[in-house]
Amino acid sequence: MGLPVVNHKDYFAKIGDDHKFPINKFSELAKYLKEKKIVKEFIYPSPCSIETLSKAHSLDYINNIKNKTLDKDGVKKIGFPLVDSVVKRSFIATGGTVLSAKLAIKSGISCNTAGGSHHANFNGGAGYCVFNDVAVAAKYLIERGLANKILIVDLDVHQGNGNADIFKDDNHVFTFSMHSKTNYPAKKSLSNYDVELEDNTEDKIYLEKLKQCLYELNQYFFDFVFYIAGVDIHYNDRLGKLKISDEGVRMRDQIVIENFFSQRIPLCGVLGGGYNKNFEKLIELHSYLHETCSKYI
């Protein structure tokens, strides 16, 4: 049995060739994973239902996305044009993380080839995030009794402020974010456990801090983990301010996945951010998550 990996052609959306967000990465990553034989066959998700979405987002906001009636300020805050393919992508990518979470319960570990939209909160989206797929999936698992004490490990270069907001009063979900101190969002929300890194932090300090944090988190005995594996920590990222090498990104993934897999805690890995100046390198960096997870199946 291979690693369960969720993917869909509609993860790609038509936002314009000159857009800052590298939307092509989703289709190219899928192709790369097949070419490198990291994945044999993908598992295809269905769009997330409004009922499931409504556990983490307001019905008004969901319907404004579905009907493309969100006001101009709301659309501007998200950063994507609100066109049919973006709407479709938002529902299907969130459904992908929900499916991947269920597969992790069954297999011990799984991945989506999208996800990690951690800036979206209950009432709206932001920072290229429409729906907060991890928050939706976490609520889904709790509602159905599939998990009771969930940890979100967010290692994107940007703070997971949406998750911090959504789960601030939820005792079932613990949010951990290790991110650039000076990066977006300018005003940080309060996660359960925040680690702010100085600009130009390199591998050694980053990995030592990560190991220390995981040691502390292990004392809480979580029964499910979402891992947001943003690769915008890389030294050549356009929107990152850290200086992590290729090997540093790979080692980070290995440390996180080994930590939880060795404890038999189900883990669902999602992409997070990545805006590398070199597109081919971006795809390679994102693939480390899936490649590392596949070694444990």
Side-chain angles (χ1 to χ4, degrees):
M1 181 182 76
L3 172 71
V5 178
V6 178
N7 174 263
H8 198 282
K9 64 179 177 60
D10 289 335
Y11 286 179
F12 171 82
K14 296 176 181 178
I15 60 174
D17 293 339
D18 58 347
H19 199 283
K20 291 180 181 179
F21 188 88
I23 197 79
N24 288 339
K25 71 180 184 178
F26 301 108
S27 52
E28 290 303 311
L29 175 61
K31 190 186 301 182
Y32 184 92
L33 293 173
K34 283 281 193 77
E35 287 173 353
K36 296 294 181 180
K37 303 190 186 321
I38 295 168
V39 177
K40 290 184 179 178
E41 297 295 334
F42 291 114
I43 300 164
Y44 301 103
S46 299
C48 192
S49 71
I50 289 177
E51 180 186 0
T52 297
L53 280 165
S54 68
K55 306 302 180 183
H57 294 291
S58 72
L59 276 173
D60 281 348
Y61 176 62
I62 296 165
N63 285 323
N64 276 330
I65 293 297
K66 179 185 176 185
N67 300 322
K68 295 181 292 182
T69 52
L70 190 66
D71 62 52
K72 288 182 180 179
D73 287 343
V75 174
K76 184 178 179 181
K77 194 174 179 183
I78 291 170
F80 289 144
L82 199 54
V83 295
D84 287 344
S85 61
V86 169
V87 172
K88 185 182 289 186
R89 179 190 183 278
S90 302
F91 280 89
I92 199 76
T94 306
T97 298
V98 174
L99 175 57
S100 186
K102 292 192 287 184
L103 292 168
I105 296 281
K106 183 179 179 181
S107 302
I109 193 165
S110 71
C111 294
N112 195 0
T113 59
S117 298
H118 59 170
H119 298 309
N121 62 27
F122 185 76
N123 289 309
Y128 305 141
C129 303
V130 180
F131 296 135
N132 192 318
D133 58 294
V134 166
V136 171
K139 292 279 191 181
Y140 179 95
L141 295 182
I142 292 163
E143 287 271 325
R144 285 157 179 75
L146 296 172
N148 185 58
K149 198 171 183 182
I150 294 174
L151 170 65
I152 298 174
V153 174
D154 191 338
L155 299 183
D156 192 281
V157 83
H158 306 104
Q159 195 221 23
N161 59 318
N163 286 322
D165 289 341
I166 290 170
F167 295 113
K168 63 183 177 182
D169 298 317
D170 192 327
N171 293 327
H172 293 283
V173 180
F174 190 99
T175 55
F176 164 57
S177 180
M178 190 165 88
H179 52 267
S180 168
K181 182 178 182 178
T182 62
N183 216 320
Y184 179 92
K187 184 179 180 181
K188 309 291 192 287
S189 298
L190 187 63
S191 300
N192 295 116
Y193 188 1
D194 272 312
V195 175
E196 296 194 319
L197 300 168
E198 299 295 336
D199 290 358
N200 301 317
T201 294
E202 296 183 345
D203 291 9
K204 184 178 179 182
I205 292 173
Y206 183 92
L207 296 174
E208 285 178 355
K209 177 60 71 174
L210 175 60
K211 289 175 184 176
Q212 176 190 337
C213 293
L214 291 175
Y215 175 80
E216 294 171 10
L217 290 167
N218 286 342
Q219 315 310 311
Y220 288 87
F221 303 106
F222 297 102
D223 58 14
F224 193 93
V225 175
F226 287 98
Y227 173 35
I228 301 175
V231 299
D232 39 14
I233 62 170
H234 191 262
Y235 72 89
N236 203 37
D237 197 87
R238 289 185 289 109
L239 302 185
K241 295 186 178 183
L242 305 183
K243 297 297 178 189
I244 310 304
S245 69
D246 293 20
E247 187 58 26
V249 175
R250 190 186 289 277
M251 283 297 300
R252 177 203 65 173
D253 290 350
Q254 173 112 21
I255 290 166
V256 171
I257 293 158
E258 169 64 28
N259 180 76
F260 296 109
F261 191 84
S262 65
Q263 299 178 69
R264 300 193 176 187
I265 301 172
L267 181 145
C268 171
V270 296
L271 239 58
Y275 313 89
N276 206 281
K277 295 172 186 175
N278 181 323
F279 184 75
E280 287 72 26
K281 177 59 65 178
L282 173 62
I283 301 307
E284 179 189 336
L285 292 169
H286 274 311
S287 76
Y288 292 169
L289 168 67
H290 308 82
E291 182 182 12
T292 305
C293 285
S294 69
K295 295 174 181 177
Y296 290 88
I297 290 290

